[in-house]
Amino acid sequence: MLETVPAAAARQVPGACPHDCPDTCALVTTVQDGVAVRLQGNPAHQPTDGVLCNKVSHYLERTYHPERLLQPLRRSGPKGSGRFEPVSWDAALDDIARRLSAIAARDPQAILPYSYCGTMGLVQGEAMAGRFFHRLGASLLDRTICASAGAEALVQTLGAKVGMKVEFFAEAGLILVWGSNAITSSVHFWRLAQEAKRRGARLVCIDPRRTETAEKCHEHVQLLPGTDGALALALMHELVVHDWLDHDYIARHTSGWEGLRERALRWTPERAAHVCGIPAQQIRDLARDYGTIRPAAIRLNYGMQRVRGGGNAVRAVACLPALVGAWRHRAGGVLLSSSGFFPADRAWLQRLDLLGDRRPRTINMVTIGDDLLRPSSPSFGPAVEAVVVYNSNPLAVAPESGKVARGFAREDLFTVVLEQFHTDTVDYADYVLPATTQLEHWDIHGTYGHTDVMLNQPAIAPVGQSRPNTQVFRELAQRMGFTDACFRDSDEDLCRRAFGGHVDFERLLGQGFASLHIPDAPFADGGFPTPSGKCEFFSERLARQGLDGLPDHVPNYEAAGSSQRHPLAMISPPARNWLNSTFVNVQSLRDIEGEPLLEIHADDAAARGIVDRQMVRVFNDRGEYHCRARVSKRARPGVVNGLGIWWRKLGANGTNVNELTSQRLTDLGRAPVFYDCLVDVQPA
Ligand SMILES: Nc1nc2c(c(=O)[nH]1)N[C@H]1C(S)=C(S)[C@@H](COP(=O)(O)OP(=O)(O)OC[C@H]3O[C@@H](n4cnc5c(=O)[nH]c(N)nc54)[C@H](O)[C@@H]3O)O[C@H]1N2
Ligand SMILES: Nc1nc2c(c(=O)[nH]1)N[C@H]1C(S)=C(S)[C@@H](COP(=O)(O)OP(=O)(O)OC[C@H]3O[C@@H](n4cnc5c(=O)[nH]c(N)nc54)[C@H](O)[C@@H]3O)O[C@H]1N2
Ligand code: SF4
Ligand SMILES: [Mo]
């Protein structure tokens, strides 16, 4: 399959990148004498094109890392100390099963699973784990920490998490990269944008930070955080005023235009310019581009969602393509997520039906800080007595982490963490169970970037005593007396049935990927998966919930300039060489990132007597975070950029940027507002 193979006995195993990244690359692992000796991108898989990002190029370093957790551990010091003693798997699982059973006998809702996308795999994600917790009757977890504001917005507007096929961005005439640092977070999409650029396309980046991506676009609209809704409405204003509209497409394939038109007419470029902190002329120019260049494609991403009005902002942007008829062309439209195209059989994988007629409460993963500190009450139910964490590192990634740490430090909380590494969360565990990496287990993946199903086959045996998540939940189920047949499905069975009959599994076994059959221009003739079949500018479903049926600009909870005590808006986008808090412990990658940084504009630095590379204290009423200031052109006046997500224990004062973020939720989707956060900065 690949050209250079080290030696005769080597074997090549197709796999899939497990990370939370829209590119979902196809991997090829070369194995010799049971050891993975090389990991490459699969050249036969078109979206991967044989190339991996820098992070995953170092995946072997991760798998064979000297600090890999290789045996089960039991706490031997105070909570949070990270001191452990080795214990056998049997002893650990027996004791965990005993303790969980005792809590469940009182009320299983006192047990909480906590997981996210350490792996995006359907099998090592919520398959056996879902079955286990549903059978148990544990609290349900609302998995909202990343994408649910935009997801809800897409569902309400387009009908599902669907959009343009990513490969056709290469043919676009105009690309708006809206709320995404694509060079960092989806480098394969960026290659397509570069191809379009070479063919003459115009690229515009809309981002409060002057990112690497912004630098490489023709135009950078450097708006204030959380003002995208206002910008989108002002673009509509200009489309109406100049009649850059596709009246036929609007009439046939949209609903609610009269109301939206009226609202847009209230958003003159001057009004939006004031809100967004950018020149009105820049808005006019952008509207002219969008109204006149064909085909026009929008790569809409997560930056704009992590604020109070994130859902409304995504709704407003998602309306734009229908206004100009961009969907008629396969290189026109918008892409936020393609995950709604994948027909995964989650009901079978996760078996919600095992709940029977029990209806456990749901806890939002964003508010874990508050919820771990909440006592029992009639409205909340029982206090949380046990947490089982897998595929996530809540101490580092959840907002207002001072409270998260206090919650996990409770002596009466029983915490089990399934992990590959000694993360901040592991420090607070009662039991640590070593988990396999992607090279050591089966899995199957959809994606939110392209439209191929990906299969991951194990390339090597589990390292040390590590076990796949699935195996841990199977064994716990057995120890807790859950005899249901579904706990005997093997990981390969789970992969085989995950997509029912929708994909050819033999093909997946052979080459590692299989494309879904989706039309090139899915909405050229309307046919949106909404109740009306139209692009719903006005959402009846939202109106019935008592919400605004039309998209609007919803200001931040903590809008830039609204507080004298904390006058700076802080955003905390991801660093290039990590994936959220994953890879922070890979030394070669940490060497590139250096140390925790806060980018600050020269004017804001001068006003505070801060010089470049000085240690600073970043603070608000929720906490303080110490790091090095970087006086930088990447920061605009009034906005500082705290790049994430460092492990707390590697930070200057044992915290990271989430010490400052709040647990408030977005307008739609109950999501976090990481980038809706006011702070001030002083020399430390
Ligand atoms: N290297 C790397 N890649 C990653 C990740 C990572 O941590 N590192 N994380 C992965 C994950 S989990 C996700 S969800 C995706 C995220 O994928 P993207 O959303 O495509 O990527 P980000 O790099 O987070 O880009 C968000 C951008 O939005 C900007 N931004 C902040 N606030 C606003 C705002 O109010 N409006 C606008 N318009 N822009 C704003 C930020 O400055 C940042 O440049 O990336 C994935 N890929
Ligand atoms: N301030 C701020 N905070 C943020 C963000 C931000 O932009 N700014 N981004 C947010 C976003 S977009 C997201 S998605 C979340 C991410 O939050 P998380 O999903 O918690 O992501 P990670 O930090 O990557 O932690 C995943 C953990 O899973 C482990 N893991 C990986 N594979 C396996 C496996 O097979 N089994 C087991 N048991 N463990 C495994 C990894 O070692 C890693 O420690 O963070 C959010 N937090
Ligand atoms: S993190 Fe993204 S770009 Fe990197 S290998 Fe994985 S899927 Fe590809
Ligand atoms: Mo994410």
Side-chain angles (χ1 to χ4, degrees):
M1 196 185 294
L2 294 171
E3 281 161 33
T4 44
V5 175
R11 199 163 59 87
Q12 295 197 315
V13 184
C17 175
H19 291 300
D20 189 350
C21 166
D23 296 3
T24 320
C25 290
L27 308 178
V28 179
T29 307
T30 306
V31 183
Q32 202 160 22
D33 302 324
V35 178
V37 292
R38 174 185 284 178
L39 182 84
Q40 286 164 283
N42 188 342
H45 182 240
Q46 196 227 329
T48 307
D49 200 17
V51 185
L52 302 177
C53 65
N54 192 41
K55 311 172 286 290
V56 174
S57 303
H58 291 259
Y59 201 82
L60 294 186
E61 209 180 310
R62 182 172 167 82
T63 292
Y64 293 118
H65 198 289
E67 290 160 15
R68 244 320 269 279
L69 293 168
L70 297 178
Q71 54 188 335
L73 302 171
R74 181 169 51 205
R75 178 160 71 91
S76 63
K79 288 256 177 173
S81 67
R83 288 213 299 277
F84 296 100
E85 61 193 13
V87 57
S88 72
W89 269 106
D90 278 334
L93 292 173
D94 287 346
D95 195 33
I96 295 167
R98 194 177 50 76
R99 306 232 356 214
L100 294 182
S101 296
I103 297 169
R106 296 192 298 277
D107 187 344
Q109 295 181 95
I111 300 169
L112 177 70
Y114 197 95
S115 67
Y116 200 62
C117 289
T119 168
M120 295 282 288
L122 294 169
V123 171
Q124 303 307 333
E126 304 309 326
M128 261 320 144
R131 293 174 179 193
F132 175 77
F133 289 109
H134 294 149
R135 175 68 180 73
L136 181 63
S139 283
L140 301 172
L141 184 73
D142 207 2
R143 292 185 172 79
T144 51
I145 203 157
C146 173
S148 61
E152 177 69 9
L154 281 194
V155 167
Q156 295 298 340
T157 314
L158 306 180
K161 289 183 273 175
V162 293
M164 285 178 64
K165 291 176 85 172
V166 72
E167 56 266 39
F168 298 125
F169 274 87
E171 299 170 7
L174 173 71
I175 301 178
L176 308 189
V177 184
W178 202 327
S180 173
N181 184 5
I183 293 181
T184 280
S185 53
S186 53
V187 70
H188 294 79
F189 159 75
W190 183 247
R191 284 159 60 99
L192 298 166
Q194 291 291 96
E195 195 180 323
K197 193 179 177 190
R198 279 194 296 276
R199 296 187 193 176
R202 184 170 168 76
L203 269 52
V204 181
C205 181
I206 305 174
D207 195 310
R209 177 168 181 251
R210 188 152 183 86
T211 60
E212 304 90 311
T213 309
E215 279 170 346
K216 296 215 159 54
C217 289
H218 297 101
E219 179 79 17
H220 178 204
V221 180
Q222 198 170 6
L223 77 190
L224 287 166
T227 62
D228 302 85
L231 176 61
L233 286 160
L235 295 180
M236 292 179 201
H237 178 280
E238 293 298 283
L239 297 178
V240 173
V241 168
H242 297 276
D243 197 26
W244 290 318
L245 296 167
D246 184 333
H247 294 283
D248 176 61
Y249 195 92
I250 293 173
R252 289 180 23 210
H253 305 308
T254 73
S255 68
W257 173 229
E258 270 316 303
L260 183 63
R261 182 176 179 279
E262 206 176 291
R263 183 163 290 177
L265 284 175
R266 282 185 248 140
W267 280 93
T268 60
E270 282 69 22
R271 179 177 173 203
H274 180 73
V275 170
C276 301
I278 54 175
Q281 190 56 41
Q282 192 175 34
I283 299 178
R284 285 201 195 86
D285 293 344
L286 179 59
R288 176 174 301 275
D289 286 346
Y290 193 70
T292 58
I293 301 176
R294 293 283 167 274
I298 302 177
R299 182 68 175 118
L300 168 58
N301 265 57
Y302 297 92
M304 75 175 65
Q305 301 180 25
R306 312 203 190 294
V307 295
R308 180 186 180 190
N312 267 273
V314 170
R315 254 174 70 57
V317 177
C319 291
L320 289 168
L323 292 175
V324 297
W327 291 114
R328 291 183 190 275
H329 196 289
R330 67 181 188 177
V334 57
L335 176 64
L336 167 56
S337 170
S338 58
S339 63
F341 284 123
F342 288 86
D345 190 351
R346 289 204 165 71
W348 179 78
L349 285 168
Q350 303 176 10
R351 296 291 308 271
L352 198 64
D353 60 290
L354 292 172
L355 283 173
D357 49 19
R358 297 171 297 176
R359 289 289 169 271
R361 66 166 168 208
T362 299
I363 288 186
N364 189 331
M365 68 188 301
V366 175
T367 55
I368 184 74
D370 280 343
D371 290 336
L372 286 181
L373 295 171
R374 243 185 258 284
S376 302
S377 74
S379 59
F380 181 61
V384 178
E385 291 179 56
V387 189
V388 181
V389 181
Y390 51 101
N391 303 340
S392 186
N393 184 11
L395 263 294
V397 304
E400 207 173 353
S401 43
K403 283 196 180 163
V404 182
R406 266 171 43 220
F408 274 102
R410 270 174 46 200
E411 277 300 328
D412 60 342
L413 183 73
F414 179 60
T415 303
V416 178
V417 182
L418 287 65
E419 250 300 351
Q420 298 160 343
F421 289 100
H422 202 130
T423 60
D424 290 328
T425 305
V426 163
D427 283 339
Y428 289 82
D430 289 283
Y431 277 101
V432 186
L433 303 178
T436 44
T437 71
Q438 190 78 341
L439 300 191
E440 301 146 66
H441 54 227
W442 282 93
D443 220 325
I444 192 161
H445 295 244
T447 146
Y448 56 104
H450 57 72
T451 45
D452 298 338
V453 173
M454 314 292 292
L455 182 70
N456 185 75
Q457 297 178 53
I460 56 171
V463 176
Q465 297 179 35
S466 66
R467 292 183 179 176
N469 296 341
T470 43
Q471 194 180 335
V472 173
F473 289 110
R474 254 185 226 109
E475 295 194 27
L476 282 176
Q478 192 209 344
R479 282 176 168 77
M480 292 177 68
F482 302 162
T483 52
D484 314 60
C486 69
F487 292 111
R488 291 192 292 275
D489 290 337
S490 71
D491 287 6
E492 191 185 335
D493 294 336
L494 292 167
C495 290
R496 248 175 218 283
R497 287 204 40 195
F499 287 94
H502 293 282
V503 289
D504 177 351
F505 196 75
E506 298 312 312
R507 191 189 177 88
L508 280 175
L509 279 173
Q511 66 174 20
F513 54 89
S515 300
L516 298 175
H517 300 291
I518 292 155
D520 284 354
F523 310 120
D525 276 313
F528 292 93
T530 51
S532 64
K534 301 187 172 193
C535 172
E536 297 192 349
F537 299 150
F538 182 84
S539 166
E540 293 281 356
R541 289 175 290 172
L542 287 179
R544 273 201 299 275
Q545 294 170 43
L547 300 169
D548 193 347
L550 289 168
D552 203 351
H553 167 60
V554 178
N556 280 4
Y557 292 112
E558 304 182 10
S562 67
S563 154
Q564 303 227 310
R565 284 177 52 238
H566 304 122
L568 297 171
M570 184 189 76
I571 57 172
S572 46
R576 183 166 181 176
N577 289 287
W578 300 327
L579 221 128
N580 300 320
S581 78
T582 303
F583 294 109
V584 176
N585 58 324
V586 173
Q587 188 65 45
S588 58
L589 296 173
R590 195 159 80 232
D591 287 345
I592 307 174
E593 290 298 332
E595 60 188 326
L597 286 178
L598 185 84
E599 296 170 351
I600 184 167
H601 188 270
D603 296 350
D604 292 325
R608 291 166 177 76
I610 293 168
V611 295
D612 190 37
R613 309 213 58 81
Q614 182 172 9
M615 286 304 288
V616 290
R617 173 176 168 259
V618 194
F619 61 96
N620 59 22
D621 291 337
R622 291 178 286 270
E624 67 178 69
Y625 168 51
H626 292 207
C627 63
R628 205 170 286 283
R630 169 76 53 86
V631 178
S632 168
K633 293 203 170 74
R634 295 207 188 280
R636 59 159 285 159
V639 181
V640 289
N641 314 321
L643 299 188
I645 307 173
W646 280 81
W647 284 11
R648 283 164 67 84
K649 57 184 148 194
L650 298 175
N653 67 333
T655 62
N656 72 12
V657 75
N658 277 322
E659 196 75 8
L660 305 171
T661 53
S662 90
Q663 296 180 69
R664 284 175 161 146
L665 302 179
T666 50
D667 53 350
L668 301 176
R670 308 166 305 283
V673 296
F674 292 115
Y675 305 167
D676 185 340
C677 176
L678 288 179
V679 301
D680 204 354
V681 188
Q682 286 174 347

